Amino acid sequence: MNEIVRVENLEKTYVTSGTTLTVLKDLNLIVEEGSKVVITGTSGCGKSTLLNILGGIDNVTAGRVQCGAWNVTSLSEDEHADYRAHFLGFVFQFHYLLKDFTALENVYIPAYMAGVPKKEAMARAEQLLADVGLAERANHLPSELSGGERQRAAVARALINNPSLILADEPTGNLDPANATLVGDLLFSMVDKYDKTLVLVTHDSNLAKKGSVRYAISGGKLQRGLAT
């Protein structure tokens, strides 16, 4: 298998009011194409920080991050935008759907903004909404959807631009147990269906067990296996 992510000697340090906090130190990670990597760890251990660095949302203090053809640690502003629009799909703990737009519009707008003709973007969005069981809810506003339905729409939106890599940050963290199970199962099935690579961070032990490769962050580094 080919590798899609390589992280070498990563360090992330925050300095606030003269206080220095290093959350990631000498962290190394290789993600193979098609794998489903799950990262667990205690609150504040750096899970979301690592995901944000992979997503180009946060900068590194030291080290190198290569995702596909992209050296994420040295992208220009325009390259960052292109990287996020075409290589990545992001699923956050909160759905971040635009409240004044329907589920269909929320899903197709990222593709339309990336240059896909509107008719084609809408067709893609309709297919993805059908895949996540929301075909009948496509013309509903987020306020008219349940929490689980909103997060399912967010999963569809993450796939709209046919990204190579899906990053998921506590995607079931705001859901009740039944919906958490449903959305977790759905995310993994969609990743399989569309042959994507997944890197997911979670506190949910049941969700974590679905990963093909599992790590825990401890002391700023990755340890193979799940956190206990």
Side-chain angles (χ1 to χ4, degrees), residues 100-118:
D100 296 324
F101 293 86
T102 65
L104 179 62
E105 290 166 335
N106 267 283
V107 175
Y108 87 68
I109 282 173
Y112 182 57
M113 291 180 67
V116 177
K118 185 175 180 180

Side-chain angles (χ1 to χ4, degrees), residues 50 99 111 128 175 202 209:
L50 175 58
K99 66 183 181 66
L128 287 166
L175 303 175
T202 184
K209 289 172 184 174

Side-chain angles (χ1 to χ4, degrees), residues 191-209:
V191 166
D192 279 337
K193 177 172 182 173
Y194 286 98
D195 195 24
K196 304 303 178 188
T197 304
L198 174 68
V199 179
L200 178 149
V201 303
T202 184
H203 282 102
D204 185 335
S205 58
N206 290 323
L207 182 60
K209 289 172 184 174

Side-chain angles (χ1 to χ4, degrees), residues 32 37 39-40 55 60 63 82 86 103 111 114 119-120 145 157 186-188 195 201-202 206 208 221 224:
E32 302 285 354
V37 174
I39 300 170
T40 61
V60 305
D82 198 35
H86 298 288
K119 191 172 182 180
E120 182 182 338
L145 302 176
R157 181 184 56 193
L186 178 69
L187 175 60
F188 276 83
D195 195 24
V201 303
T202 184
N206 290 323
K221 299 182 181 182
R224 197 68 178 252

Side-chain angles (χ1 to χ4, degrees), residues 7-211:
V7 178
E8 296 176 331
N9 308 120
L10 176 64
E11 181 176 321
K12 181 60 181 179
T13 298
Y14 294 98
V15 179
T16 55
S17 303
T19 301
T20 300
L21 175 64
T22 298
V23 293
L24 301 173
K25 185 172 178 62
D26 196 28
L27 184 146
N28 295 279
L29 171 67
I30 292 176
V31 177
E32 302 285 354
E33 281 186 341
S35 62
K36 293 176 277 293
V37 174
V38 172
I39 300 170
T40 61
T42 58
S43 181
C45 72
K47 302 187 303 297
S48 293
T49 298
L50 175 58
L51 215 65
N52 286 340
I53 288 170
L54 293 178
I57 296 171
D58 206 348
N59 297 318
V60 305
T61 303
R64 185 173 183 274
V65 177
Q66 184 80 27
C67 293
W70 310 85
N71 181 351
V72 181
T73 43
S74 63
L75 296 178
S76 68
E77 190 172 327
D78 286 346
E79 287 170 337
H80 259 127
D82 198 35
Y83 170 65
R84 291 181 198 142
H86 298 288
F87 187 80
L88 288 181
F90 233 121
V91 183
F92 297 94
Q93 183 171 352
F94 186 70
H95 56 80
Y96 293 116
L97 298 177
L98 301 171
K99 66 183 181 66
D100 296 324
F101 293 86
T102 65
L104 179 62
E105 290 166 335
N106 267 283
V107 175
Y108 87 68
I109 282 173
Y112 182 57
M113 291 180 67
V116 177
K118 185 175 180 180
K119 191 172 182 180
E120 182 182 338
M122 288 182 69
R124 278 193 209 174
E126 286 170 348
Q127 178 59 58
L128 287 166
L129 285 170
D131 288 341
V132 300
L134 292 179
E136 303 300 319
R137 310 287 280 165
N139 293 315
H140 287 67
L141 295 171
S143 61
E144 300 170 319
L145 302 176
S146 70
E149 287 172 336
R150 291 175 201 147
Q151 201 65 342
R152 283 150 62 190
V155 170
R157 181 184 56 193
L159 287 158
I160 189 65
N161 281 331
N162 194 28
S164 298
L165 178 64
I166 302 291
L167 302 178
D169 188 2
E170 298 282 3
T172 63
N174 280 340
L175 303 175
D176 62 77
N179 271 308
T181 298
L182 190 154
V183 170
D185 288 346
L186 178 69
L187 175 60
F188 276 83
S189 70
M190 291 290 280
V191 166
D192 279 337
K193 177 172 182 173
Y194 286 98
D195 195 24
K196 304 303 178 188
T197 304
L198 174 68
V199 179
L200 178 149
V201 303
T202 184
H203 282 102
D204 185 335
S205 58
N206 290 323
L207 182 60
K209 289 172 184 174
K210 296 179 183 295

